[in-house]
C-alpha cells in the first residue's frame, strides 16, 4: 500500500483485491457516515446497510490501511486484562458485560466469514499463550482458572504437549483457547468491504474527513472532494486517526509492533512447527508472536519499529530468536517484513466516546481489535438502529483524555524495544 513494502508486508501480497472504490466527488446524502475503513467501520457499515440504512463510508487512504491490514491475525477472545480484574476496573455491570461480549466475539467474526464467504485463511484451531518459565506458567494457570469458572473452553497444556504443538521445547506449558483462531487480516477487512458494498454501503477511499459541522439538524462531513450530509457519524479511526479526530489518536500511546514472514516451509517442517496451525504468543514482557499462513510461511513478530537502526536490530534479533526457538528451521530466509502502531490506553481497555450528539465511536483496542472491532461495529449499528441504548453498551461513556508524557512513552517503547533486542540478539 502506498508503495511501502514495510506497511502491510505479506498481507498485501496475498490478500484478494478490495472492491473498486473512488474518492468522494461532490455532495451526497446518507443516513449514516462511517469514518474509517477498518474492522470497526466496515462491521458497523455492513450491519447498518443490512438493516436498510443508507451508509456512506469514508476512508482516508485504502481499505485496511490502519491496524486492520498490518496485524498478526490472532482472533482473540477477551483482552489482556485478567477476566476477574475487569469488574474491578469497569465496575461490576460493565465488567461482566464486556467479558461476556468479548469472550463470544470470535464467533461473530467466524459467522461473518462464513455468511459472506470471505476468503481470508480462517483457522479455527485455537490459540496458544505460551508460558516462559515458572512465572509464565503461573500466569496462564490463573488465566485458565478465571476463564474456566466462566465455562470458557480453555485448558493448560503441559510442557510436552506444548512442545508437540509448537514444535519447540522453549515453553513450560501453554494456555489453549479453543474460542480463538487466526486469519489473514487484510483479506478479512477487504472481505467485509465487499460484503458491505453488496449490501449497499457506498465506500469512498482516498477521502479523509477534515471537518464536520451541524446544518439544519444534520451533520455535514467534509472531505477535499465533497461533503456528506447525514443524521449520524460513526468515528472508527482508532490508532490511525488523522485529520478531524486527532483526540482519538492522542488518547493512546502507540506501541510499534513488527512481523517477519519466512518463505513457505517445506512439508517436513510444516509437520513440526505449529502442525495444528494455532496462533501463538508468549508471556514475556516484550512478547513474541508466531503463526503460520495458509501457504506455510511462519509469521514471527515482536515489539519494535522497522525503521532507522530498528530495522537491522530487530531483523538480527528475529533471526537469532527463530534459530533458538526452532533450530529445525536452520537459516530460513525472510520473505516479507512490516510493522504498525498498536494503540494502547492507560487501563488497557477500549473506549466508547460520544463526540457530539449522534457522533459516536469505539477505539483503543490495545492490540486486540479483530474480534472486538467487529463486535463493537455491530453494536454501534444496533445503537443507531435504536436496539441498544447508550446505557446498555458494553463500555461506559468517557471523554477522550490525553495520557501524560505520551510522546516520551512512545519514544521509550521504540528505543526500549531496540535496546532489548540488541542485547537479546547477542545472548
Ligand atoms: C502490528 C499490529 C499487530 C496487531 N495484532 C493484532 C492481532 O493479532 N489481533 C488483534 O485482534 N488485533 C491486533 N492488532 C490490533 C488491530 O489491528 C486493531 O485494533 C484494529 O485494526 C482496529 O480496527 P479499527 O477498524 O478500529 O481501526 P483501523 O483498522 O486502524 O482502521 C482505521 C481507519 O481509519 C482511517 N482514518 C483515520 N483518520 C481518518 C479520517 N480523518 N478520515 C477518513 N479515514 C480515516 C485510517 O486510514 C484507517 O484505515 C494489531 C495491530 C497492529 C498495528
Amino acid at each position: 500500500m502506498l508503495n511501502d513494502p514495510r506497511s502491510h508486508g505479506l498481507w498485501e501480497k496475498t490478500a484478494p483485491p478490495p472492491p473498486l472504490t473512488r474518492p468522494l466527488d461532490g455532495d451526497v446524502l446518507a443516513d449514516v457516515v462511517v469514518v474509517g475503513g477498518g474492522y470497526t467501520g466496515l462491521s458497523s457499515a455492513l450491519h447498518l446497510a443490512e438493516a436498510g440504512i443508507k451508509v456512506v463510508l469514508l476512508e482516508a487512504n485504502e481499505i485496511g490501511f490502519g491496524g486492520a491490514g498490518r496485524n498478526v491475525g490472532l482472533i482473540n477472545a477477551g483482552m489482556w486484562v485478567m477476566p476477574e480484574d475487569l469488574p474491578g476496573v469497569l465496575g461490576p455491570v460493565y465488567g461482566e458485560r464486556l467479558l461476556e461480549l468479548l469472550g463470544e466475539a470470535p464467533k461473530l467474526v467466524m459467522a461473518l466469514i462464513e455468511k459472506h464467504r470471505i476468503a481470508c485463511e480462517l483457522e479455527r484451531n485455537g490459540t496458544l499463550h505460551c508460558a516462559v518459565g515458572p512465572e509464565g506458567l503461573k500466569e496462564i494457570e490463573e488465566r485458565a482458572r478465571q476463564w474456566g469458572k466462566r465455562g470458557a473452553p480453555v485448558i493448560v497444556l503441559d510442557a510436552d504437549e506444548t512442545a508437540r504443538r509448537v514444535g519447540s521445547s522453549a515453553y513450560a506449558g501453554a494456555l489453549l483457547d479453543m474460542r480463538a483462531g487466526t486469519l489473514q487480516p487484510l483479506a478479512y477487512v477487504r472481505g467485509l468491504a465487499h460484503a458491505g458494498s453488496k449490501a449497499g454501503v457506498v465506500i469512498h477511499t482516498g477521502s479523509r474527513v477534515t471537518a464536520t459541522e451541524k446544518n439544519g439538524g444534520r451533520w455535514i462531513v467534509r472531505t477535499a472532494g465533497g461533503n456528506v450530509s447525514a443524521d449520524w457519524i460513526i468515528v472508527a479511526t482508532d490508532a490511525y486517526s488523522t485529520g478531524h479526530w486527532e483526540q482519538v489518536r492522542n488518547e493512546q500511546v502507540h506501541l510499534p509492533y513488527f512481523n517477519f514472514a519466512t518463505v513457505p516451509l517445506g512439508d517436513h517442517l510444516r509437520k513440526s512447527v505449529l502442525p495444528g496451525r494455532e496462533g501463538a504468543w508468549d508471556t514475556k514482557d516484550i512478547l513474541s508472536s508466531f503463526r503460520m499462513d495458509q501457504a506455510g510461511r511462519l509469521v514471527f513478530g515482536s515489539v519494535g519499529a522497522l525503521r532507522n537502526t530498528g530495522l537491522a536490530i530487530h531483523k538480527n534479533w528475529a533471526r537469532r530468536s527463530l534459530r533458538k526457538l526452532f533450530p529445525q528451521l536452520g537459516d530460513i530466509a525472510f520473505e516479507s517484513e512490516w510493522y504498525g502502531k498498536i494503540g494502547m490506553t492507560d487501563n488497557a481497555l477500549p473506549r466508547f466516546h460520544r463526540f457530539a450528539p449522534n457522533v459516536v465511536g469505539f477505539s483503543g483496542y490495545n492490540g486486540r481489535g479483530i474480534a472486538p472491532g467487529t463486535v463493537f461495529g455491530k453494536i454501534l449499528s444496533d445503537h443507531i438502529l435504536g436496539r441498544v441504548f447508550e446505557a446498555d453498551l458494553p463500555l461506559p461513556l468517557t471523554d477522550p483524555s490525553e495520557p501524560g508524557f505520551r510522546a516520551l512513552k512512545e519514544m521509550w517503547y521504540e528505543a526500549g524495544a531496540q535496546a532489548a533486542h540488541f542485547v537479546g540478539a547477542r545472548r
Side-chain angles (χ1 to χ4, degrees):
M1 252 182 239
L2 299 181
N3 296 323
D4 178 358
R6 275 188 212 114
S7 64
H8 297 74
L10 174 66
W11 307 138
E12 177 68 28
K13 292 180 193 165
T14 61
L20 280 180
T21 51
R22 284 180 290 123
L24 178 64
D25 183 13
D27 293 350
V28 296
L29 288 174
D31 299 317
V32 180
V33 178
V34 174
V35 186
Y39 307 125
T40 311
L42 279 154
S43 170
S44 61
L46 169 62
H47 287 100
L48 282 165
E50 283 180 334
I53 300 295
K54 191 168 177 338
V55 184
V56 171
L57 185 143
L58 300 173
E59 161 55 48
N61 302 287
E62 294 178 40
I63 297 300
F65 175 84
R70 303 167 193 250
N71 65 62
V72 181
L74 303 169
I75 316 167
N76 297 111
M79 304 303 288
W80 295 104
V81 179
M82 282 279 188
E84 286 180 5
D85 291 346
L86 259 183
V89 181
L90 286 177
V93 174
Y94 283 109
E96 288 300 333
R97 217 182 262 167
L98 188 64
L99 258 184
E100 196 181 322
L101 186 84
L102 295 185
E104 295 288 307
K107 276 192 195 152
L108 176 66
V109 173
M110 295 176 191
L112 286 175
I113 291 171
E114 204 164 292
K115 176 176 174 189
H116 299 287
R117 296 201 168 88
I118 299 176
C120 62
E121 307 186 7
L122 174 66
E123 296 283 354
R124 301 164 178 267
N125 301 346
T127 50
L128 296 167
H129 190 179
C130 299
V132 178
E135 278 305 303
L137 194 57
K138 247 188 3 213
E139 182 193 325
I140 60 161
E141 282 172 348
E142 182 54 21
R143 225 172 246 282
R145 188 192 66 74
Q146 295 189 13
W147 274 120
K149 261 171 67 183
R150 299 182 138 75
V154 296
I155 51 165
V156 174
L157 307 177
D158 66 17
D160 287 346
E161 178 61 8
T162 303
R164 197 190 66 72
R165 287 187 183 237
V166 173
S168 169
S169 51
Y171 301 110
L175 178 78
L176 172 65
D177 188 335
M178 285 310 294
R179 298 167 296 179
T182 62
L183 46 63
Q184 210 278 26
L186 183 60
Y188 172 53
V189 75
R190 286 182 175 176
L192 288 178
H194 279 289
S197 293
K198 275 192 205 135
V201 179
V202 177
I203 299 176
H204 292 291
T205 47
S207 302
R208 184 181 313 281
V209 172
T210 52
T212 56
E213 68 194 55
K214 215 58 198 276
N215 187 338
R218 285 171 69 81
W219 284 104
I220 308 296
V221 180
R222 301 206 179 282
T223 73
N227 310 308
V228 189
S229 162
D231 296 319
W232 282 84
I233 305 174
I234 288 179
V235 182
T237 52
D238 199 36
Y240 282 81
S241 221
T242 53
H244 195 49
W245 287 284
E246 277 283 322
Q247 70 263 49
V248 173
R249 181 265 176 266
N250 290 344
E251 181 170 43
Q252 307 174 355
V253 175
H254 281 172
L255 178 78
Y257 199 91
F258 63 79
N259 279 289
F260 291 96
T262 67
V263 293
L265 308 188
D267 282 349
H268 67 293
L269 286 175
R270 284 192 217 182
K271 285 186 192 133
S272 119
V273 178
L274 292 173
R277 290 173 173 265
E278 301 92 341
W281 70 98
D282 66 28
T283 55
K284 284 189 188 153
D285 285 341
I286 300 184
L287 66 84
S288 306
S289 54
F290 43 97
R291 54 155 298 184
M292 304 295 287
D293 84 341
Q294 202 164 52
R297 300 175 183 92
L298 180 63
V299 177
F300 184 63
S302 184
V303 177
L306 301 184
R307 60 182 174 194
N308 309 326
T309 47
L311 178 57
I313 289 174
H314 296 309
K315 200 182 247 178
N316 282 339
W317 171 86
R319 284 221 173 90
R320 176 92 190 226
S321 302
L322 270 191
R323 268 202 302 270
K324 274 203 268 183
L325 259 183
F326 303 109
Q328 64 270 43
L329 292 181
D331 269 331
I332 192 143
F334 292 143
E335 196 186 83
S336 306
E337 55 198 34
W338 69 100
Y339 75 104
K341 303 177 286 193
I342 294 180
M344 312 289 288
T345 58
D346 57 7
N347 64 358
L349 291 176
R351 297 285 194 270
F352 168 66
H353 297 311
R354 178 168 21 80
F355 300 90
N358 287 15
V359 183
V360 288
F362 284 103
S363 54
Y365 300 113
N366 291 271
R368 295 207 158 183
I370 298 175
T374 306
V375 88
F376 285 148
K378 179 175 185 306
I379 284 175
L380 285 171
S381 148
D382 286 340
H383 177 51
I384 288 176
L385 291 166
R387 296 172 184 164
V388 176
F389 295 120
E390 194 173 278
D392 298 325
L393 291 173
L395 285 165
L397 175 70
T398 48
D399 288 328
S401 60
E402 194 167 331
F405 307 110
R406 176 172 59 79
L408 266 181
K409 285 178 185 159
E410 290 180 354
M411 275 162 55
W412 168 246
Y413 281 153
E414 186 165 346
Q418 277 191 37
H421 286 165
F422 182 77
V423 173
R426 266 148 194 80
R427 282 200 189 124

